[in-house]
Amino acid sequence: MLPGTVLDGEAVIWTGRHIDFSAAQSRAASAPARALLLSHQRPASYAVWDILSLPELGDVRGRPYVERRGLLLGVLAEIGPPIQAVPATDDRDVALAWYEGLRDQGIEGVVAKRAAGAYPGGRRAWVKIRHADTRDATVVGYVGAASTAAGAGPRAGG
């Protein structure tokens, strides 16, 4: 891969037959010496879903996804694992099979992109269809006895 190539993807670590997000987070937050040790114990792969720039073409984000996908596959054709393009399909039945069948492997869901769509800058133009939708939140208060908030659990009768 030529210098100046910019890919959009995510580092993943497989544990057995499952993606282990906590292992990837732990490794990313580790000091360099520990990260090196972990890299030997649980090597990471780079799952790539899009290409943003190529040295010979420059910024390709304005091009349709199907064109960017072709460019991505061309760049990665000679490389192979541990850097690889995620599977893609325009067949709804295949996408549904992936959505249901890959859940047990730790796959969060699927992403739908418009074939003619450009890569959005700063906003999402695609849809993530997840098995579970979680939200980060900050608790700013509570109602009830302080013992309940401290983890004592609800009291009988009240």
Side-chain angles (χ1 to χ4, degrees), residues 5 18 36 39 45 59 68 73 80 82 112 115 120 128 138 153 156 158:
T5 302
H18 298 79
L36 180 61
S39 73
S45 297
D59 187 344
R68 294 192 320 274
L73 295 177
K128 291 184 180 182
T138 301

Side-chain angles (χ1 to χ4, degrees), residues 40-100:
H40 294 292
Q41 293 173 349
R42 291 189 177 157
S45 297
Y46 189 60
V48 185
W49 43 76
D50 217 326
I51 191 162
L52 310 182
S53 183
L54 287 164
E56 63 273 13
L57 297 175
D59 187 344
V60 296
R61 292 176 295 173
R63 296 177 185 226
Y65 173 72
V66 293
E67 187 178 333
R68 294 192 320 274
R69 178 73 181 183
L71 293 170
L72 173 65
L73 295 177
V75 165
L76 298 181
E78 301 291 321
I79 297 175
I83 301 173
Q84 58 194 41
V86 297
T89 186
D90 60 1
D91 184 313
R92 184 178 192 278
D93 292 334
V94 170
L96 287 171
W98 288 346
Y99 179 76
E100 292 301 328

